[in-house]
Amino acid sequence: SLRREHGENKLEEEEPEHIVMRYIGQFKDPLILLLLGSAALSIVVGQYEDAISIAVAVVIVGSVAFYQEYKSEECLQALSTL
């Protein structure tokens, strides 16, 4: 039988990554790193308002992306229990 030959029709479950590490992982995108670099450069040249604006925007984007990813993983887990 195919089941004996190929195994169950299930995806292998990976060990879940810690929630903090998943949040930090949102900031590894090259564009986000570029923005963080520009915020650092803004601090060096004394443009503190620009640096704060960029940093706040990066945190907002990273947080929204994390929330969306977290919710989609919850949905996938719910679907896998069906």
Side-chain angles (χ1 to χ4, degrees), residues 23-79:
Y23 182 74
I24 292 172
Q26 296 297 322
F27 300 97
K28 292 181 180 175
D29 185 78
L31 184 57
I32 297 295
L33 293 175
L34 180 66
L35 286 170
L36 291 174
S38 66
L41 187 60
S42 295
I43 290 172
V44 169
V45 298
Q47 298 293 326
Y48 301 111
E49 296 86 12
D50 291 342
I52 290 171
S53 298
I54 294 168
V56 167
V58 166
V59 168
I60 290 171
V61 168
S63 298
V64 169
F66 170 76
Y67 178 75
Q68 289 177 332
E69 183 178 316
Y70 183 77
K71 284 302 197 180
S72 68
E73 287 179 6
E74 280 185 340
C75 289
L76 285 174
Q77 279 184 331
L79 286 173

Side-chain angles (χ1 to χ4, degrees), residues 2-4 6-11:
L2 288 175
R3 185 175 293 170
R4 273 188 247 129
H6 297 287
E8 294 287 327
N9 189 16
K10 292 184 179 180
L11 294 174

